[in-house]
Amino acid sequence: MPSLDLPPLSYAAGTAKLPGSKSISNRMLLLAAMAEGVTEIHDLLDSDDTRVMLTALASLGIGLESKGANCWRVRGAGGVFPVKQGELFMGNAGTAIRPLTAALALSGGQYRLSGVQRMHERPIGDLVDGLRQIGCDVRYAGKEGYPPLEIMPASVKLAAPIRVRGDVSSQFLTALLMALPLTSETAVIELTTELISKPYIEITLNLMARFGVQVEREGWQRFTIPGRQRYRSPGVLHVEGDASAASYFLAAGAIGGGPVRVEGVGKNSIQGDVRFADALAAMGAQIVWGENFIAASAPATGKLKAFDLDLNHIPDAAMTLAVAALFADGKSVLRNIASWRVKETDRIAAMANELRKLGATVEEGTDSLAVSPAPSLRSHVAIDTYDDHRMAMCFSLVALGGVPVRINDPGCVAKTFPHYFDAFAQITAPVIAIDGPSASGKGTVAQRVAKALGFHFLDSGALYRLTALAAMKADVSLDDEAGVAAIAATLPAEFRNDRIFLSGEDVTEAIRSEAVGNGASKIAVYPAVRAALLDRQRAFRRFPGLVADGRDMGSVVFPDAPVKVFLTASAEARALRRYKQLIEKGMPDNMRPLLQDIVKDLEARDARDAARPVAPLKQLPDADLVDTTTLNIDQAVAAVMDRVRRRLPFFNPPVA
């Protein structure tokens, strides 16, 4: 089984851009498929679960057209599905199989729905019972109460209310609410038990209203859908960021110092899981709310506080609290989480097993979990994830305790957040930002430090040189800021070991030419070019860490880098190094007068670089100064490594 080893982490800070909400994405897709007209959905989550829904809708005759990154155009059927027979494989996507079961039961066709083995262990009997009450013909093809299912054409009668339980999964109620407008009669749903996960029903009702269908609610026990309503496309919709996914990053900020800011959800979100931030606040975390963001930082003083909370309203995000409890000052209790038992795995049992591996004392109840943290976390624990995306994401937070941790089967995050670990690295992977004047040795030192640590290496200057070279090859004028920026945004560049490639061509030497260097200096001042390269540079931040060499690495690209070094040397020492490089390249050793010219050139360049309006040469206030005037390259590397050891106390790099 593949695994991912996370290094010990000492902090978390930065910004995380959330993927689209799974709950909203799949609801919007199904509503758009049943609506009259064409709906364009932007920011749709790209994950296993949404692909399951898209594949199912396409096989049912719904017109789907990809309009680029995370944007789909859905041509609705204006009611029931046009394809009346089919076999649908639903993977382990509960947000797809449950609402589709109800919609297909009212479509007058013959269908079979199946999934992976775990899906066949997840109950669906309460939904089937509700559908059978109105005459739907839904049959079990395997174990009673569980998928796979067979659906046959049937006559539907809505004379009496549909009575359904609400204490197993709110998705059963969601499925019925979304499907019943396919009929022309008034429909009533009555819950026979308390409804769990009420915020998810709020999402459903909100989205149905956007498609023109109103539901009358009497508390949380009775729902009436007046007859003669039809879904009608609202035209263009945008999917909110995934509030459940926000919980991992917000918890990272609360545990690792912060601030960590998540973008895509905010104080006006329709998702109940944003209330996870309130739970963190109860633990003492500092929370800031914005229109489209939430930010979290560690308590102003002391550790996170233990908690005792009813978490029925945020069952998915509550899993993150179970891991955050490892960092609290005492015993924490999570209550009213019985729905965990019927999720992708039995999450109460799975969570208890894995927390105990880390040294915690865990008391497992039928609908609760009590977690008492150990004095210190056990190191090098291998976390099993049970093919459950949320287990993998939750336990990544353990590394913030300063211990390495192994995540087994990390690929299971593809269910909702395929690039989660890259996003997690963006706020936690250590960055060593190295800057300094020309000929200070920063490039060579940075490469050597990266190799010693086993970190990735970024030569930001090479990206600007590559952009200039690519523009020249494409006959784009270097005076054309917009044209060069467009090239920078899609730069087909690769760094393999010590070689640099552009569109598959080795250009390691070509980008060092004087013409390319002059071009790079010219385009590096363009704001549009710098903005286009910003995300590309940040993408180099991956586990176990990154050494970044460049002028604005510590100020703009990675302002939260825990290690910043300003490498310098006297102009005379730098000139002598440059002179020796020229000798090594074949210049005759009788050019001693050239040395003073090199000194003057370097001093003039220092002055120009310091006066630049964009990314000027200067030592940042939080950067360590390393003067290499009297140091050789090995000594310079050793000096930087000493700073790394002091700035990253949880990280134990080798002695240079």
Side-chain angles (χ1 to χ4, degrees):
M1 176 185 294
S3 62
L4 173 67
D5 290 318
L6 298 180
L9 302 173
S10 58
Y11 83 110
T15 298
K17 295 181 180 179
L18 298 173
S21 161
K22 175 187 70 169
S23 298
I24 295 177
S25 291
N26 270 348
R27 282 168 171 80
M28 277 189 180
L29 284 173
L30 182 55
L31 291 171
M34 298 186 295
E36 298 173 353
V38 176
T39 306
E40 194 167 283
I41 304 176
H42 293 259
D43 305 318
L44 190 80
L45 173 65
D46 179 16
S47 72
D48 289 350
D49 278 21
T50 50
R51 293 187 198 114
V52 163
M53 179 65 90
L54 286 165
T55 300
L57 294 178
S59 67
L60 292 168
I62 301 301
L64 299 170
E65 180 185 1
S66 174
K67 302 298 293 182
N70 303 326
C71 178
W72 285 84
R73 182 172 289 173
V74 183
R75 187 172 299 279
V80 298
F81 296 107
V83 172
K84 299 303 180 186
Q85 188 169 9
E87 293 195 9
L88 306 179
F89 179 76
M90 309 307 297
N92 197 15
T95 58
I97 192 172
R98 288 162 176 172
L100 268 176
T101 293
L104 292 174
L106 298 172
S107 289
Q110 182 175 341
Y111 310 97
R112 177 184 170 90
L113 287 79
S114 63
V116 300
Q117 181 57 39
R118 175 57 186 171
M119 177 61 82
H120 297 170
E121 297 168 355
R122 298 177 67 180
I124 201 169
D126 291 303
L127 173 60
V128 172
D129 289 346
L131 291 168
R132 286 176 173 176
Q133 289 174 41
I134 58 174
C136 295
D137 188 352
V138 184
R139 308 171 185 177
Y140 298 112
K143 183 180 177 182
E144 189 82 6
Y146 299 85
L149 302 174
E150 291 179 350
I151 298 172
M152 308 298 288
S155 298
V156 174
K157 297 179 181 179
L158 294 169
I162 303 169
R163 295 175 59 79
V164 63
R165 289 174 59 185
D167 59 349
V168 177
S169 172
S170 65
Q171 290 179 12
F172 300 155
L173 176 57
T174 279
L176 292 168
L177 287 169
M178 292 174 64
L180 287 169
L182 294 178
T183 71
S184 59
E185 301 176 52
T186 294
V188 177
I189 305 170
E190 292 181 350
L191 297 181
T192 60
T193 59
E194 180 185 359
L195 176 64
I196 65 171
S197 307
K198 296 180 181 70
Y200 284 97
I201 300 304
E202 294 278 19
I203 293 174
T204 301
L205 298 178
N206 182 294
L207 294 177
M208 289 174 66
R210 293 191 197 183
F211 281 85
V213 171
Q214 300 297 323
V215 178
E216 299 169 3
R217 178 167 68 84
E218 299 174 32
W220 293 103
Q221 293 300 123
R222 183 181 174 94
F223 299 80
T224 301
I225 306 168
R228 302 185 182 280
Q229 295 191 86
R230 305 278 286 180
Y231 288 123
R232 292 179 175 83
S233 171
V236 177
L237 292 172
H238 292 263
V239 178
E240 281 187 12
D242 188 341
S244 299
S247 69
Y248 315 119
F249 301 101
L250 294 174
I255 296 165
V260 173
R261 170 178 165 137
V262 294
E263 295 183 346
V265 293
K267 59 185 179 182
N268 296 319
S269 171
I270 67 172
Q271 299 172 76
D273 273 359
V274 294
R275 301 270 65 91
F276 173 83
D278 295 337
L280 282 183
M283 295 181 73
Q286 302 176 77
I287 304 295
V288 177
W289 292 84
E291 293 293 334
N292 195 45
F293 77 87
I294 310 172
S297 302
T301 58
K303 297 181 66 173
L304 290 168
K305 300 174 185 175
F307 59 87
D308 188 330
L309 295 171
D310 184 323
L311 298 167
N312 179 267
H313 60 300
I314 54 169
D316 287 340
M319 293 180 68
T320 314
L321 285 175
V323 177
L326 293 171
F327 301 90
D329 62 3
K331 178 179 176 179
S332 296
V333 183
L334 298 84
R335 300 188 187 278
N336 208 357
I337 54 172
S339 63
W340 283 20
R341 297 283 189 190
V342 295
K343 296 287 188 176
E344 282 79 347
T345 187
D346 180 341
R347 286 175 170 170
I348 291 180
M351 185 65 71
N353 288 341
E354 303 312 306
L355 290 172
R356 289 179 182 127
K357 288 182 182 178
L358 293 158
T361 300
V362 183
E363 302 164 43
E364 179 185 340
T366 56
D367 68 345
S368 65
L369 202 67
V371 182
S372 298
S376 60
L377 293 170
R378 290 176 183 157
S379 184
H380 294 94
V381 169
I383 298 296
D384 291 319
T385 52
Y386 307 82
D387 197 26
D388 187 338
H389 55 133
R390 300 207 184 279
M391 290 291 291
M393 292 186 279
C394 285
F395 278 92
S396 64
L397 298 170
V398 171
L400 287 167
V403 296
V405 62
R406 171 169 289 180
I407 305 295
N408 288 331
D409 189 23
C412 65
V413 300
K415 180 177 175 64
T416 53
F417 201 158
H419 305 295
Y420 169 75
F421 288 104
D422 289 337
F424 187 59
Q426 291 298 304
I427 62 165
T428 57
V431 174
I432 301 166
I434 299 180
D435 190 14
S438 179
S440 61
K442 63 182 182 296
T444 303
V445 169
Q447 281 188 299
R448 292 270 296 269
V449 169
K451 185 174 182 180
L453 295 173
F455 279 17
H456 302 282
F457 172 67
L458 168 60
D459 177 355
S460 65
L463 285 177
Y464 287 97
R465 288 174 175 268
L466 282 164
T467 300
L469 179 60
M472 294 174 182
K473 287 179 172 287
D475 293 324
V476 173
S477 171
L478 298 184
D479 293 320
D480 179 3
E481 180 177 352
V484 176
I487 286 175
T490 57
L491 191 66
E494 292 181 86
F495 294 82
R496 304 180 205 158
N497 299 320
D498 296 331
R499 311 303 294 176
I500 301 171
F501 296 82
L502 180 66
S503 297
E505 176 188 356
D506 189 334
V507 294
T508 309
E509 280 73 40
I511 65 169
R512 301 300 172 188
S513 71
E514 184 176 356
V516 172
N518 290 335
S521 296
K522 183 172 187 175
I523 66 171
V525 301
Y526 293 152
V529 173
R530 301 188 76 83
L533 288 176
L534 187 60
D535 285 343
R536 179 176 290 273
Q537 291 174 107
R538 287 176 173 163
F540 278 84
R541 186 177 190 175
R542 303 187 300 276
F543 291 120
L546 172 70
V547 179
D549 157 32
R551 185 57 28 86
D552 58 354
M553 289 297 99
S555 58
V556 176
V557 184
F558 303 110
D560 59 334
V563 183
K564 298 178 185 178
V565 175
F566 190 82
L567 221 60
T568 190
S570 68
E572 290 75 13
R574 290 184 285 136
L576 184 59
R577 293 168 187 168
R578 181 69 55 83
Y579 177 78
K580 289 179 178 179
Q581 289 174 347
L582 294 173
I583 297 300
E584 291 172 357
K585 291 183 178 180
M587 180 175 288
D589 193 11
N590 59 358
M591 302 292 290
R592 199 73 184 177
L594 180 63
L595 193 58
Q596 280 307 112
D597 292 336
I598 297 175
V599 171
K600 292 178 181 177
D601 286 345
L602 288 173
E603 289 176 337
R605 180 167 180 176
D606 289 350
R608 289 196 306 272
D609 286 349
R612 284 171 55 174
V614 178
L617 172 66
K618 64 178 180 180
Q619 180 186 350
L620 297 171
D622 56 346
D624 292 326
L625 179 68
V626 175
D627 190 329
T628 66
T629 299
T630 61
L631 305 181
N632 61 31
I633 190 66
D634 290 333
Q635 291 169 328
V637 170
V640 173
M641 293 289 281
D642 179 64
R643 271 66 175 183
V644 172
R645 278 186 286 274
R646 284 196 274 123
R647 293 278 188 168
L648 297 177
F650 289 136
F651 190 71
N652 189 27
V655 177

